[in-house]
Structures are given as structure tokens and as C-alpha cells.
Amino acid sequence: MKYPDVSQQTGTDAGLAAVLRMAVGRLARRLRAQRPDSSLSLGQGAVLFALARHGTMTPGALAEYEKVQPPSMTRIVSALEERGLVRRMKHPDDRRQQLVELTDEGALLVQSDQQRREAWLTQRLAELTREEKATLRTAAEILNRLSRS
């Protein structure tokens, strides 16, 4: 399949948005294909990564962070708990609340996932020129900024 010249497509903000959406989506799919445990839903994986990144959280804080409704987060946490990837415990300051934390098995899964995805991406980056890598470093900063807005 022949694709149109990207420079022609990205002449407008709308065109750039379309090209970025497709490229980021394709890259995300390729990275997801590297997951060691494909039986986890995307939401479950996101919760494991959030806990690995931020530490123990309440289900409400997890729901807010992942932009889902609290009942959805309750289902996600329950499924992860059944698999032994997280555990719930009483909040030390507020007995009405619970905290969710990664188990050792959950932490190992996150670590394995990160290693596989980063190894795949490192191989792809090795195929690029120095100039392309420099461009990607700048783009990574910009994409991080966009993702936080």
C-alpha cells in the first residue's frame, strides 16, 4: 500500500493530528503485542503500572488517575486481586477506606512487561540514524507535554 507524503498531510494542525494519531496508535499496538501476559485487559495493565509508578493508592484515587468510574475500578481491582497481582488492605488513618498495592507477583509482571517492551523498542531505535534519534528525543518531550494536558 502506498501512503501519501507525510509532509503534505501535516501542513495543517488537523492533518498533523491525524498523522500523529495513526502513528501513535500503531506504535501502541506494536508495544502491546510485546506484553508477556496478554490475558490482562488494558485497564488492568494500566492499574498495575499506576501502582508501580505511584505506590499504594485508594481505589478512588486509582479511578480518578485512570479517568474511570469508581465501580469500574472496583471490578478491575477485584480481578487483579483474584489473580494475586494486587492486595487490598485497610487504610491506616481511615478504616472506612482501603488501600491497593502491588504484590510481589504484580511487581514482577510489571517489570517483565517493561523490559520486553523496552527491549523491542530499543531494537527498533537501533535501526535509526543519529539525526532521527535526536528528532525523537525532542518529539518525546513534546508528546509527554501533550499527554499531560
Side-chain angles (χ1 to χ4, degrees), residues 7 40-41 43 60-61 75 78 80 85 90-91 109 112 116-117 120 138 146:
S7 63
L40 288 175
S41 72
R75 285 190 294 277
S78 293
L80 292 171
L85 301 173
K90 294 283 184 193
H91 194 290
L109 181 62
S112 171
R116 282 182 62 163
R117 291 184 202 207
W120 179 85
T138 302
L146 281 174

Side-chain angles (χ1 to χ4, degrees), residues 48 80-81 83-87 101-108:
L48 292 177
L80 292 171
E81 188 175 37
R83 294 185 61 170
L85 301 173
V86 301
R87 75 177 133 262
E101 70 176 358
L102 283 178
T103 61
D104 289 342
E105 185 178 347
L108 283 172

Side-chain angles (χ1 to χ4, degrees), residues 33-141:
Q34 304 305 311
R35 291 172 38 197
D37 185 346
S38 61
S39 68
L40 288 175
S41 72
L42 293 178
Q44 290 169 344
V47 167
L48 292 177
F49 277 92
L51 291 170
R53 192 175 309 114
H54 302 291
T56 303
M57 299 173 78
T58 65
L62 276 168
E64 186 176 320
Y65 182 78
E66 290 300 321
K67 307 289 189 245
V68 299
Q69 294 298 313
S72 296
M73 185 55 65
T74 298
R75 285 190 294 277
I76 291 171
V77 169
S78 293
L80 292 171
E81 188 175 37
E82 285 175 23
R83 294 185 61 170
L85 301 173
V86 301
R87 75 177 133 262
R88 289 186 239 207
M89 59 191 154
K90 294 283 184 193
H91 194 290
D93 301 325
D94 184 352
R95 291 292 189 187
R96 296 169 295 169
Q97 288 201 50
Q98 293 182 331
L99 294 172
V100 181
E101 70 176 358
L102 283 178
T103 61
D104 289 342
E105 185 178 347
L108 283 172
L109 181 62
V110 168
Q111 182 181 20
S112 171
D113 188 290
Q114 287 175 326
Q115 287 172 343
R116 282 182 62 163
R117 291 184 202 207
E118 288 172 12
W120 179 85
L121 195 50
T122 298
Q123 289 176 337
R124 301 295 74 77
L125 290 172
E127 300 165 2
L128 302 178
T129 67
R130 248 181 233 199
E131 294 78 19
E132 289 171 325
K133 290 177 192 178
T135 299
L136 283 176
R137 283 184 186 90
T138 302
E141 292 173 19

